[in-house]
Amino acid sequence: WYGSIFGMAPPRIGIVGEFQPNFAPHSAIAPSVEHARGAYGSGLPVTLEWVTTDDAEHMTPQQLSGYAGWWIAPGSPYRSMNGALKVIRYAREQDIPLLGTCGGYQHVVLEYARNVLGFSDAAHAEYDPYASDLFISALSCSLAGQTMTVAVHENTTAARLYKQRTVAEKYYCNFGLNLDHLPALTAAGLMVSGTDQDGEPRILELPGRQFFVATLFVPQTSTTADAPHPLI
């Protein structure tokens, strides 16, 4: 992801979410980007800016264009779902590099369902568990605190970056993609590039973009200076 915006100096990266300093998937983001930056050995300055979802909801296209990349952070429910979806749509349509992790993955699915598939009422069970058209539903078994194996699919951005077919990743989530809607999402162009041991999607990406990847896991929590996470 960082490599996609490496040519722009100095890049300003927007982190969308409500920052909680004691929440590991939030506090790990800045160090993970430093690890990625150090991997290039360039010393290129990077500015990370947290953008709350309610602020994002009111950003103009000109303000959105001031960022070279976006990270849709964990920590949903967000104060403004619409704010998160607005940034995701902008990045998707304008081909701005985007990484969504945990809640970010879930909202990438919602944005695609609403604005590509045309399901204007596509819903998330964390916000409304009784909605009629849930694209994001409660997992039958919570993944919070678990480390699990992910199979990386060939000929994908994820495979190009991981350079291995099986990886172990940490999770903090209780919600995931409603598999009833998976065929429609993939038929419309959203690609599954990583699955768990049961074949359920854990990495999604959009081909034909600089970088547009969403993970249900939180890669920022398993990176070090000596081993930066491949996706970051």
Side-chain angles (χ1 to χ4, degrees):
W1 173 61
Y2 179 80
S4 301
I5 60 175
F6 184 69
M8 304 178 186
R12 188 160 64 123
I13 301 168
I15 314 297
V16 177
E18 282 68 65
F19 180 64
Q20 302 170 49
N22 296 322
F23 183 44
H26 282 181
S27 60
I29 287 177
S32 75
V33 173
E34 279 301 298
H35 299 159
R37 188 172 75 90
Y40 285 92
S42 69
L44 180 69
V46 178
T47 301
L48 299 182
E49 293 183 7
W50 279 85
V51 179
T52 64
T53 54
D54 41 7
D55 283 345
E57 184 174 359
H58 302 290
M59 291 177 75
T60 66
Q62 183 177 8
Q63 289 172 319
L64 290 167
S65 71
Y67 293 85
W70 291 98
W71 187 323
I72 313 301
S76 60
Y78 302 131
R79 289 207 297 255
S80 170
M81 177 193 288
N82 289 335
L85 299 183
K86 179 177 182 176
V87 172
I88 295 167
R89 182 174 189 173
Y90 179 85
R92 178 177 59 79
E93 293 182 341
Q94 301 301 319
D95 194 13
I96 305 300
L98 178 140
L99 175 64
T101 60
C102 195
Y105 166 110
Q106 297 157 17
H107 287 73
V108 162
V109 170
L110 281 185
E111 191 281 324
Y112 211 77
R114 290 186 178 191
N115 299 316
V116 178
L117 291 182
F119 286 82
S120 59
D121 57 350
H124 189 311
E126 193 171 23
Y127 296 84
D128 183 1
Y130 305 108
S132 59
D133 215 348
L134 288 174
F135 271 74
I136 300 297
S137 54
L139 295 169
S140 56
C141 246
S142 170
L143 295 176
Q146 296 194 47
T147 298
M148 300 182 71
T149 298
V150 177
V152 182
H153 296 194
E154 292 182 337
N155 302 315
T156 62
T157 296
R160 176 172 59 83
L161 296 174
Y162 274 115
K163 296 182 172 57
Q164 53 186 317
R165 294 296 306 278
T166 304
V167 296
E169 295 289 359
K170 298 178 182 178
Y171 292 83
Y172 277 77
C173 59
N174 297 306
F175 296 86
L177 172 60
N178 180 348
L179 297 180
D180 290 345
H181 293 297
L182 181 58
L185 289 163
T186 55
L190 198 61
M191 178 184 290
V192 176
S193 51
T195 50
D196 70 2
Q197 69 280 356
D198 298 319
E200 297 196 9
R202 298 298 182 241
I203 310 174
L204 300 172
E205 62 183 65
L206 196 57
R209 301 295 194 281
Q210 291 186 74
F211 186 95
F212 194 96
V213 174
T215 68
L216 195 60
F217 51 83
V218 281
Q220 61 268 35
T221 63
S222 58
T223 175
T224 67
D226 293 332
H229 195 284
L231 296 183
I232 300 169

